[in-house]
Every structure is written in C-alpha cells, then in structure tokens.
Amino acid sequence: MNQTIPFLMIVLFCKVVAAQQKNNFEDWNRKPVSVTPADCGQAPSDAQVLFNGDLSNWCYSDGTPAKWSCSTTEFTATPGEPDIFTRQSFGSCQLHVEWKIPDNETHDNLNWGNSGIYLMGLYEVQIYDSYMDKHEIYYNGQAGSIYKQHSPLVNASKPAGEWQSFDIVFTAPVFNENKSLKSPAYFTVFQNGIIIQNHVQLIGPTVHTDFTEYQFHESKLPLMIQSHGSKVSYRNIWIRELN
C-alpha cells in the first residue's frame, strides 16, 4: 500500500485546520487616533462641549433661544419653560452629563427631581430623586432607568443637592430604505461611575402610554433635556459622536 497518499492527506488537513483557526493576528491597517482623556470637570480632546457658560448650543423646539436660568458654571430648568434641544443633531454617541436635583424641593407624588436626557429627542435616560428610595416610583421610572423599559441594575443615586453624573453610550436605531426597522437602539449607562444599564435593547421611543414601537426617523436628531417642573441643574455636558 502506498503510504504517501495518507501522509499528504494529513498534511493538507493540518493546513486547512491551521487556516481556519487563524483568528489571532497583528492588525496594522488602522492606527487609532490619539485622544487626550478628560481631567476632572473637563472634556476629552475630541469631544464637543455642549455647555460652556451659556446656552447658545440649546434652543426650544421652534428654534428660539432657550431661556432656562443660566450662570457661567451651570444652568437650571425653569418651571413653566419648555424642554430644550441641541441646535446640532446627533446619532450614535458617547454622552457625559452632570446633574443635580435641588435640595428640599417639594413636589407632588412621582415628580421629585423629575427630568430626563433624551437621545435623539426620543429615547430617555430618566432623572429622578431616587436616593435610598425616599420617593418611591415604579422601578423602571427611577433615576437611571430607560423610562418604562429597563430598570437600572442598581440604585446608584446620591442625595438631592449633590452633583451626579451619567456617562451614556447610545447606539442609534437604523432603518431600511423602505423605512422598516433594520436594527434597534441600545443603551449602556454609568451613573456616578457605576454601570446601571448594560447594552440594553429598546423596544421603541420613550412614551408615557403602555405601548411603543419604532417609527422611521432621521439618522441624526437633536438631544433633548426635559422640563418636568423640577429645578434640576446641569453642567459639564460633552458628546463624542460614534460612527
């Protein structure tokens, strides 16, 4: 019997297996861009700062200038004034927001420190006075929830009167040419440095009713900060677009 054929078959088999298993290799195709990390209270070098002592980057839905209370270091939702929107539109992004619920503010039930950060003006990360569950609300409505869709993994809230932070990674939904949904939106959220939403999938935009579903919209839309009757303050807001 010719022993050469089996030997060649073994060699060929080993080469095929080796080729199939080549999944760990050196990549010299794309050099990552160098970015200077953010120092305390600052933004990374490639971020766009959305608040820098005035509200010029923000407006009402009709495009008129936002009239919320504003100083050089922070701005505050003014009860009776509408929601505010960025003048620029964004899609998938990394967003940093610092916020503070006023101390000793009195409100009706379910409105304690109520506000929210709306990515694309549609998909909300809730702001609420949830420290130690003092003001009880349904779990997917407390601070850090994806409103009425995902409760936070943990309650990482600080007391009212203290500055808090959200670091949000948002993946925008994608639509097909026929305007049907191709891929949904996702959120990853850190509150005060603690992960509270881990790449959760959204079933549709934020609504207050019991049903939501995706409707076609543009690939980039303005951010929105909600005015909900509470004097929530904001500072150090920056965004990095993710393509």
Side-chain angles (χ1 to χ4, degrees), residues 1-2 18 91 133 172 183 202 210-211 223 239:
M1 180 179 178
N2 190 336
D133 299 311
S183 59
L202 275 67
D210 294 331
F211 179 79
L223 301 173
I239 191 167

Side-chain angles (χ1 to χ4, degrees), residues 73 84 90 165:
T73 57
I84 61 172
F90 303 95
S165 66

Side-chain angles (χ1 to χ4, degrees), residues 120 122-123 149-150 170-175 179-187 200-206 211-217:
M120 307 189 84
L122 295 168
Y123 308 99
Q149 295 190 43
H150 294 282
F170 174 69
T171 302
V174 178
F175 295 89
K179 298 187 178 182
S180 63
L181 182 68
K182 181 176 181 180
S183 59
Y186 292 89
F187 269 116
V200 295
Q201 178 179 321
L202 275 67
I203 56 175
T206 298
F211 179 79
T212 183
E213 63 180 346
Y214 286 97
Q215 300 290 334
F216 173 81
H217 56 71

Side-chain angles (χ1 to χ4, degrees), residues 33-215:
V33 176
S34 295
V35 173
T36 303
D39 291 326
C40 182
Q42 302 297 317
S45 61
D46 66 341
Q48 181 175 346
V49 177
L50 295 178
F51 174 69
N52 197 19
D54 61 56
L55 289 174
S56 58
N57 289 318
W58 300 84
C59 61
Y60 295 137
S61 60
D62 61 1
T64 58
K67 296 179 181 179
W68 287 14
S69 175
C70 181
S71 71
T72 57
T73 57
E74 63 189 74
F75 65 92
T76 302
T78 302
E81 290 292 322
D83 306 328
I84 61 172
F85 297 79
T86 55
R87 293 188 178 275
Q88 184 174 340
S89 295
F90 303 95
S92 297
C93 64
Q94 175 189 352
L95 176 67
H96 177 85
V97 180
E98 295 177 13
W99 50 277
K100 180 177 67 175
I101 291 170
D103 195 14
N104 298 321
E105 185 178 48
T106 301
H107 277 290
D108 295 332
N109 191 32
L110 302 185
N111 200 35
W112 298 91
N114 202 336
S115 186
I117 308 298
Y118 281 72
L119 281 295
M120 307 189 84
L122 295 168
Y123 308 99
E124 182 188 16
V125 180
Q126 171 81 325
I127 288 175
Y128 198 78
D129 187 1
S130 295
Y131 178 67
M132 300 297 291
D133 299 311
K134 181 179 178 181
H135 303 296
E136 192 171 36
I137 191 173
Y138 39 92
Y139 304 130
N140 58 358
Q142 71 179 62
S145 64
I146 309 305
Y147 186 75
K148 291 187 78 173
Q149 295 190 43
H150 294 282
S151 304
L153 294 170
V154 295
N155 184 344
S157 295
K158 295 181 180 180
E162 294 189 17
W163 284 103
Q164 308 193 52
S165 66
F166 281 149
D167 286 282
I168 300 167
V169 178
F170 174 69
T171 302
V174 178
F175 295 89
N176 295 303
E177 290 186 4
N178 66 0
K179 298 187 178 182
S180 63
L181 182 68
K182 181 176 181 180
S183 59
Y186 292 89
F187 269 116
T188 294
V189 182
F190 290 80
Q191 182 180 356
N192 302 323
I194 297 172
I195 190 166
I196 58 169
Q197 302 286 354
N198 187 11
H199 195 61
V200 295
Q201 178 179 321
L202 275 67
I203 56 175
T206 298
V207 296
H208 297 285
T209 56
D210 294 331
F211 179 79
T212 183
E213 63 180 346
Y214 286 97
Q215 300 290 334

